[in-house]
Amino acid sequence: PRNLKPTQSSVSRNGNSDNVSYFTPNHGHEHPWEGSPFTAMPAAFNSASTAHTDEVSGGPALPGGPASRDAGATLDAVGSTRAVEFSSREVLTARVEPHLVAITESRSPECEQFRSLRTRLLQAGERERKRAFVITSAGPGEGKTLTALNLAWLLAQTDGVKALIIDADLRQPCAADYLGIETEFGLSEVLTGQTRFTEAIVKLEPSGLHLLPGGAAREDVAELLSGPRFGRLLDEARKHFDYIIIDAPP
């Protein structure tokens, strides 16, 4: 994958009421999503390399700091809502996409880049109260899904943080395939009313990351993601999770 970094432009409309940040490769031209009320975070990072091992490690990103200590108590969620039990899937190192260095090569320099990005995200979450982050790209094949999964996997290992990654690239949903797991339902089925939000989410072990897979591939992606159901879904997600990573279509 190419080197990626968040766009340096900042877009804020009506006070950015959605409180969402997005990352996209910076190629010197505007991405279509820059017209939406998202605010970019000024932090640079690289995509994963091809090297891989079988080692996995976790731990807080900000030991003893406010982000690792208080992140689990920042959402306005009632206890009964946060107590929902999700089905689980075990992620095996031998079955995942090798470029998922947070799983396959947790001590590599590439993985350290993602840890640095995780720290910046947590700092932005505490400083600016941002909880949802969109990972996107100008075109296919630029590593956005790998970036989203590596970041989310490490984020879920942070003390006190409950994280969700949403595979919203419904034309080519592939997060579950990259993780080497099988799922029955996903975002596509939730947005079309075929299943409930909480029934489509799976908890990934051993990291504790939660995944809302893409589900069945669709062509009417723009209509689904710009409609009211997706907005309500994000509202529901905020009741259950501290941080949300969205793998968005190009």
Side-chain angles (χ1 to χ4, degrees):
R2 304 174 185 175
N3 286 341
L4 305 179
K5 65 180 181 179
T7 175
Q8 296 298 315
S9 62
S10 176
V11 180
S12 179
R13 298 184 179 181
N14 299 325
N16 191 20
S17 58
D18 288 338
N19 205 20
V20 176
S21 289
Y22 79 103
F23 298 92
T24 182
N26 190 342
H27 298 305
H29 57 270
E30 183 181 80
H31 187 275
W33 282 43
E34 291 190 32
S36 300
F38 303 142
T39 302
M41 188 172 68
F45 62 98
N46 296 322
S47 283
S49 75
T50 56
H52 55 91
T53 65
D54 293 331
E55 210 164 7
V56 177
S57 67
L62 302 174
S68 61
R69 185 173 59 250
D70 299 333
T74 53
L75 293 183
D76 298 325
V78 295
S80 59
T81 301
R82 299 297 296 272
V84 173
E85 292 293 330
F86 302 102
S87 63
S88 63
R89 302 285 191 280
E90 184 178 4
V91 176
L92 302 176
T93 304
R95 298 183 61 182
V96 304
E97 154 65 45
H99 289 82
L100 290 178
V101 292
I103 304 173
T104 62
E105 195 179 1
S106 63
R107 299 186 185 277
S108 66
E110 291 81 12
C111 190
E112 287 303 316
Q113 292 286 335
F114 286 108
R115 286 196 177 92
S116 177
L117 176 61
R118 174 187 63 176
T119 300
R120 290 171 181 264
L121 185 148
L122 289 169
Q123 290 172 340
E126 290 302 308
R127 183 175 59 251
E128 305 175 28
R129 300 192 61 81
K130 295 185 183 299
R131 292 293 177 261
F133 296 83
V134 174
I135 311 294
T136 188
S137 63
E142 296 188 342
K144 66 177 181 58
T145 299
L146 292 170
T147 298
L149 284 170
N150 277 304
L151 174 60
W153 187 271
L154 293 171
L155 188 62
Q157 295 179 345
T158 305
D159 287 349
V161 170
K162 193 173 183 181
L164 170 71
I165 179 169
I166 300 176
D167 186 353
D169 191 354
L170 297 184
R171 289 191 185 90
Q172 296 180 323
C174 59
D177 291 339
Y178 281 10
L179 291 164
I181 63 173
E182 295 183 359
T183 57
E184 186 176 358
F185 303 112
L187 177 61
S188 180
E189 288 74 25
V190 175
L191 294 180
T192 54
Q194 299 176 52
T195 190
R196 297 173 58 186
F197 169 74
T198 53
E199 293 174 347
I201 292 176
V202 295
K203 184 178 181 180
L204 306 176
E205 301 294 356
S207 76
L209 173 66
H210 292 75
L211 166 71
L212 177 55
R218 305 180 63 90
E219 291 299 324
D220 55 343
V221 179
E223 291 79 7
L224 285 177
L225 298 184
S226 61
R229 281 193 175 185
F230 188 63
R232 290 194 295 268
L233 182 147
L234 289 179
D235 289 339
E236 179 72 10
R238 287 185 174 98
K239 296 177 183 178
H240 296 277
F241 301 98
D242 302 306
Y243 287 90
I244 304 165
I245 303 295
I246 304 171
D247 177 21

